[in-house]
């Protein structure tokens, strides 16, 4: 037997999954939270059970050892399953990484340098890579980048219209994120439709805590709503999404906010949270249904923005085979799916109310039979995609 370990090492958490690449089944998975604090919380599950504990987690190395100890104690024992590769989620690959990459000292140096663009994420991703190398010195480590899938965007989609020399010097351009999810979901969607991937035209709406829309032609990203950072585009749990940059000047000049405060305002205290006091779409929906005006407005803004990108990408693609919803909100929220695409019959898009409201969970079609563009719900699986890409890179 062989196995792949997938690591998603965040600033204060470590998520992991052990998969059998032959059957693509999950052998074990877990989550360690509160890294950076003396004691963390941990959950490790296998086909045999779930174990919870509170191990010491002052840093990523200690947290990583808690993970390997959990495998030793509750199984599967990593030394026995034949670990062939460790796949790591890395948020920012800049314009340098467009494919899964075996981590060499040079690659590690480059990921470190790109931390300038993702100061919260890349250092945490690197900490996971270093801890994994210490724990498994003979197993290749592969970095799978959130930005990589969007490296196929043409210049007209990734270029911001600012002073070209300034942009070049500071590498200011659109990079795009959630690429692992957009890639996985667009491939599943083409298979679901029975359309060859090379001929498919899809709009993928990844609506989770972070949210982004991507236009995918022939299996390649041609435009995406996130930009230089994951702040641009759709309304998110705590991020504003699209904003006139002059708002920032105004708040600095007249509001007295410094750069860190502005960063915090737009990334952590905006979006659904800023509009309603909660960043969780379930709560916003419940409040709106109970008559809360702020929540109703927030839901309208959220869906209006999705619709804006759907229209834009229909035009960029010259029509689409399908619009695909995924991630926490996309997979679960009947109301967001319905409202975002309401009244688009003239464009050949019609959501079927009963299919949309059905309690099904898997890959499914929610458009009516007469809808020229199909509307699908495809659950994302970033861990499986990272495992596949890690295997393909070694
Ligand atoms: P993710 O980042 O993909 O885990 O998605 C998190 C988001 O999905 C949160 O805003 C949740 O409110 C939302 N979500 C999860 N379950 C549901 C649900 N049943 N209905 C609406 N939103 C949901």
């Amino acid at each position: 037997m062989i196995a792949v370990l997938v690591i998603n090492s965040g600033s204060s958490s470590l998520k992991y999954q052990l998969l059998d690449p032959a059957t693509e089944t999950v052998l074990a998975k877990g989550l360690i939270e509160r890294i950076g604090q003396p004691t963390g919380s941990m959950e490790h599950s296998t086909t045999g059970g779930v174990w919870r504990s509170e191990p010491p987690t002052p840093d990523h190395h200690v947290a990583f050892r808690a993970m390997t100890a959990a495998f030793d104690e509750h199984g599967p024992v990593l030394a026995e399953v034949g670990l062939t590769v460790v796949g790591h989620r890395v948020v920012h690959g800049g314009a340098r990484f467009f494919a899964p990459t075996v981590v060499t000292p040079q690659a590690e140096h480059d990921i470190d340098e790109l931390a300038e663009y993702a100061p919260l994420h890349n250092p945490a991703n690197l900490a996971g890579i270093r801890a994994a190398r210490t724990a498994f010195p003979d197993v290749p480590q592969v970095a799978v980048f959130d930005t990589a899938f969007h490296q196929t965007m043409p210049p007209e989609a990734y270029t911001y219209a600012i002073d070209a020399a300034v942009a070049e010097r500071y590498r200011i351009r659109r990079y795009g994120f959630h690429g692992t999810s957009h890639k996985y979901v667009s491939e599943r969607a083409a298979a679901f439709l029975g359309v060859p991937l090379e001929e498919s035209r899809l709009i993928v709406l990844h609506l989770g805590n972070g949210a982004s829309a991507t236009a995918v032609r022939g299996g390649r990203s041609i435009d995406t709503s996130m930009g230089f950072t994951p702040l641009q585009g759709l309304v998110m749990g705590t991020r504003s999404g699209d904003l006139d940059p002059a708002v920032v000047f105004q708040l600095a000049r007249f509001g007295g906010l410094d750069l860190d405060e502005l960063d915090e305002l737009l990334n952590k205290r905006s979006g659904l949270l800023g509009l309603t006091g909660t960043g969780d779409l379930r709560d916003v929906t419940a409040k709106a249904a109970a008559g809360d005006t702020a929540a109703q407005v927030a839901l309208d803004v959220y869906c209006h923005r999705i619709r804006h990108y759907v229209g834009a990408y229909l035009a960029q693609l010259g029509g689409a085979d399908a619009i695909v919803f995924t991630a926490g909100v996309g997979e679960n929220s009947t109301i967001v799916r319905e409202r975002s695409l309401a009244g688009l019959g003239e464009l050949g898009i019609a959501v079927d109310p009963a299919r949309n409201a059905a309690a099904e969970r898997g890959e499914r079609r929610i458009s009516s039979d007469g809808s020229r563009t199909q509307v699908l719900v495809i659950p994302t699986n970033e861990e499986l995609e990272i495992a596949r890409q890690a295997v393909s890179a070694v």
Side-chain angles (χ1 to χ4, degrees), residues 90-97 109-123 125 145-147 151 160 166-177 227-232 239 263 267:
V90 179
V91 167
H92 216 307
R96 242 170 281 180
F97 296 102
H109 171 268
D110 290 349
I111 294 168
D112 199 16
E113 209 175 70
L114 289 162
E116 186 184 328
Y117 305 112
L120 284 181
H121 293 106
N122 275 32
N125 304 152
F145 299 91
D146 269 19
T147 47
Q151 281 297 303
Y160 290 119
V166 172
E168 165 93 27
R169 175 146 181 223
Y170 296 99
R171 292 182 281 189
I172 307 285
R173 48 159 285 179
R174 189 191 290 278
Y175 290 104
F177 299 85
F228 179 65
T229 74
L231 180 54
Q232 200 183 349
R239 286 173 239 159
D263 191 329
N267 274 301

Side-chain angles (χ1 to χ4, degrees), residues 15 178 206-210 237 272 279-283 285 302 326-336 361 380 382:
K15 269 193 240 166
H178 289 145
H206 177 111
L207 310 176
N209 214 351
L272 295 175
D280 190 313
L281 191 100
R282 275 169 296 206
D283 300 337
T285 310
Y302 188 94
T326 194
V329 175
E331 291 167 30
N332 295 299
S333 176
T334 307
I335 191 164
V336 164
R361 278 284 148 268
T380 192
E382 290 170 278

